[in-house]
Amino acid sequence: MLYFLKGRGRVQERGSKALDAVEGDVAHIPAGTEHWHGAHPEEEHTMQHLAITFGQPTWLEPVSEEEYRAD
């Protein structure tokens, strides 16, 4: 679960469209679902979030710049 605290963010599950998030939004990502999350491209240095996970996360390869900035 991701709780967006400040600024704008972006989250995307593999195979789905990226979704933008704002302060107060919560993203529920099912266990074992490959995804990425981070700051919105227009606010790369102002997003803060709280991530809550159960178990050990598996870190994957970095997202390409093209995928990160796609609408």
Side-chain angles (χ1 to χ4, degrees):
M1 179 172 64
L2 300 170
Y3 181 69
F4 291 86
L5 301 169
K6 180 180 176 185
R8 292 190 301 160
R10 184 168 276 184
V11 61
Q12 181 179 28
E13 294 181 10
R14 189 172 301 275
S16 297
K17 183 179 178 189
L19 301 174
D20 292 340
V22 296
E23 294 177 25
D25 283 352
V26 177
H28 296 274
I29 301 148
T33 301
E34 291 184 4
H35 75 283
W36 65 267
H37 64 275
H40 189 278
E42 295 173 7
E43 295 188 32
E44 295 180 39
H45 304 288
T46 60
M47 190 274 288
Q48 292 179 355
H49 71 287
L50 173 66
I52 301 171
T53 185
F54 297 99
Q56 183 67 28
T58 301
W59 296 100
L60 304 173
E61 72 282 350
V63 176
S64 70
E65 191 71 19
E66 181 180 279
E67 188 174 8
Y68 171 67
R69 294 191 178 279
D71 285 332

